[in-house]
């Protein structure tokens, strides 16, 4: 039987459907989101929550002339299906399939790249002003979640929007959740607005009554605003910044949302419509535990059961933090809204007073950590590699110049499957190793991570980063005690030196074993400490072998390989060197095996890369 969705080729096709047909379409869209995510993994709960919202927006706007900007973009699967990308979505997160976030190269319906939180409002007001400058027509709408609204960038944009006072529609998609339960004052304010049922009707009534009053004051914004404050503080923050607040409205009632959007789009000012949605809606398992199905790997649709994950670096990080907190009363852990993914749920429960979920606010997380450190606590700032990019100056200005003792626990370092260019953890080594005072460590196995965290918390003085990959270990190494700036020869050989750090040490061992079968004895060095780097151990090895292969799963520009080679050249060593790293390019979404094949990180392609120096 033909489905309604089969007839939708572009968003304007939705405009001729009746409300019962739209409800049926919503059910079809949910079913398709579920089957795609169960197969490929991805962001489930957020997409299930915005089905009706997406339909209502596509009907209210004139796309693609109007611009619809999704914050983070992780909730754009339904939008992708309604904007001609249903087929691509079936290969979501795989090479050649749809990107899991917004991607302008994929469709004219995606205005800018997304993936990192809290950027939509700045982009939206930029788009409005660009229209004014270029003479283009079209309205601009941004959809931002209550979680993303905790990011400072979003608040800066609202501040600026109020100042510019141009028409822009902000849809606040409030489901009370970031990945886990949302936190902070903004979240509290929104919850007051949600519970103030009838607020909108009350506000409308008061405004209507005001208009009836005689005298000049009745129509002024001043009086209206002050009476609104007297009624409730809900929305007051937005209104005081110059953004009109409408809502809350039920985010699963298409007709009600359309009425509200219509009204907002006729107002010649920045307007925020507060839409209340349920994360995970329509899939019982996700409704009950939306955080567990926020970002998932493939799972069984009928049972909700996910892949049994091996022991991960994140889990070991969380366990080690618990163990260290028991011994060290000054230790405190900070997360910018990534409790679950960073393995910190246990710590959050056990050490409530020393655990800080600061919202999606990486910059603040680092500077808050600097404040803790300056005050005598020992902060561990847990952050994903790509999100730390948001806090670069905070690391330099607030931590490094003052040489404060704080630990950056950098998860998801290296190549990341599925998420694409915005989430690859491939820049941190380059940008951190450029900062004076900052030490950078990379464990080659889970036990190394434990040792490095203990060293970083208990012994080191100054800012120190420990970077580790997604997932679990490939091999384990018995490297003995950790000493800063001291590498470890994990395999001896006379013919070739392979130096690596982090997860690449396992690959180096795979290569060494394969070479042994060909009669070549490779020495493998685990650098352990990426900065300071133990050049002496590398030099000692290459004076024996005469050949160096250096492997790292980060961008070549500014990587350790380049630094090491420059260093060796300065020492005028006559040595054959091969650097294996990632190119000066953004790495798109693909599965891990696709990425490894494409970028030459399978054992076979690593060996092929070494051929010319062997
Ligand atoms: C800068 C940055 N930090 C962290 C994340 C990880 N992240 C992805 S979605 C999300 C929660 C977003 O919550 P919200 O905006 O309320 O959207 P919802 O998923 O609840 O619809 C987080 C923390 C990110 N994408 N970008």
């Amino acid at each position: 039987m033909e489905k309604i969705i089969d007839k939708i080729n572009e968003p304007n096709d939705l405009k001729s459907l009746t409300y019962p047909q739209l409800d049926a379409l919503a059910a079809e869209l949910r079913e398709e989101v579920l089957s795609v995510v169960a197969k490929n993994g991805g962001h489930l709960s957020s997409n299930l929550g915005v089905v009706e919202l997406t339909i209502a927006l596509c009907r209210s706007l004139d796309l693609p002339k109007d611009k619809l900007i999704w914050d983070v973009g992780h909730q754009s699967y339904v939008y992708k299906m309604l904007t001609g990308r249903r087929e691509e979505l079936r290969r979501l997160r795989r090479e050649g399939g749809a990107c899991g976030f917004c991607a302008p190269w994929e469709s004219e319906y995606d205005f800018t790249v997304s993936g990192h939180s809290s950027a939509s409002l700045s982009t939206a007001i930029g788009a409005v002003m660009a229209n004014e400058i270029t003479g283009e027509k079209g309205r601009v709408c941004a959809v931002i979640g209550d979680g993303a609204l905790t990011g400072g960038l979003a608040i800066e944009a609202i501040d600026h929007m109020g100042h510019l006072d141009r028409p822009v529609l902000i849809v606040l998609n409030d489901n009370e959740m970031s990945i886990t339960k949302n936190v902070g004052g903004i979240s509290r304010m929104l919850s007051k607005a949600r519970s103030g049922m009838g607020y909108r009707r009350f506000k409308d009534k008061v405004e209507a009554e005001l208009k009836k009053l005689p005298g000049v004051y009745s129509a002024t914004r001043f009086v209206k605003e002050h009476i609104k404050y007297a009624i409730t503080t809900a929305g007051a923050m937005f209104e005081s910044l110059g953004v009109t607040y409408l809502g809350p409205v039920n985010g699963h009632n298409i007709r009600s949302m359309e009425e509200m959007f219509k009204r907002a789009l006729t107002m010649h000012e920045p307007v925020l419509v507060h839409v209340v949605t349920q994360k995970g809606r329509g899939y019982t398992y996700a409704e009950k535990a939306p955080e567990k199905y926020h970002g998932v790997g493939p799972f069984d649709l009928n049972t909700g059961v996910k892949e049994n994950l091996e022991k991960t670096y994140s889990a070991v990080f969380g366990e080690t933090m618990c163990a260290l907190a028991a011994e060290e009363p000054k230790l405190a852990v900070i997360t910018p809204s990534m409790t679950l993914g960073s393995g910190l749920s246990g710590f959050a429960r056990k050490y409530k007073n020393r655990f800080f979920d600061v919202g999606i606010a990486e910059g603040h997380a680092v500077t808050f950590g600097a404040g803790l450190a300056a005050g005598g606590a020992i902060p561990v700032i847990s952050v994903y590699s790509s999100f730390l990019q948001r806090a670069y100056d905070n690391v330099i200005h607030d931590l490094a110049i003052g040489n404060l003792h704080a630990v950056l626990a950098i998860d998801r370092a290296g190549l990341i499957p599925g998420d694409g260019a915005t989430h690859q953890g491939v820049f941190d080594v380059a940008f951190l190793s450029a900062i004076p005072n900052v030490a950078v460590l990379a464990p080659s196995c889970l036990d190394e991570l434990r040792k490095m965290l203990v060293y970083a918390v208990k012994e080191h003085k100054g800012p120190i980063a420990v970077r580790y990959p997604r997932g679990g270990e490939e091999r384990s190494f018995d490297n003995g005690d950790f000493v800063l700036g001291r590498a470890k020869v994990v395999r001896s050989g006379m013919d070739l030196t392979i130096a690596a750090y982090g997860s690449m040490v396992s690959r180096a061992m795979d290569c060494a074993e394969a070479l042994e079968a060909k009669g070549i004895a490779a020495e493998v060095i685990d650098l352990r400490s990426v900065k300071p780097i133990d050049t002496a151990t590398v030099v000692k090895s290459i004076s024996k072998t005469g050949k160096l292969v250096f492997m790292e799963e980060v961008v070549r520009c500014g990587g350790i390989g380049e630094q090491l080679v420059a260093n060796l050249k300065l020492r005028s060593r006559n040595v054959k060197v091969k650097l294996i790293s990632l190119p000066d390019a953004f790495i798109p979404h693909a599965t891990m095996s696709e990425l490894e094949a494409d970028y030459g990180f399978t054992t076979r392609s690593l060996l092929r890369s070494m051929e010319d120096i062997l």
Side-chain angles (χ1 to χ4, degrees), residues 98-121:
C99 173
F101 302 94
C102 298
W105 56 86
E106 202 177 88
S107 163
E108 60 176 333
Y109 290 93
D110 289 0
F111 183 58
T112 44
V113 170
S114 68
H116 287 201
S117 166
S118 316
S120 63
L121 304 188

Side-chain angles (χ1 to χ4, degrees), residues 46 72 74 115-117 145-148 173 175 177-179 279 294 337-338 360 362 387 390:
S46 315
V72 185
H74 65 309
H116 287 201
S117 166
D146 55 306
N173 169 28
N175 52 27
M177 305 282 293
S178 184
I179 291 177
K279 206 161 173 174
H294 175 87
S337 206
M338 302 303 287
I360 310 178
E362 287 79 8
F387 304 146
R390 282 275 164 100

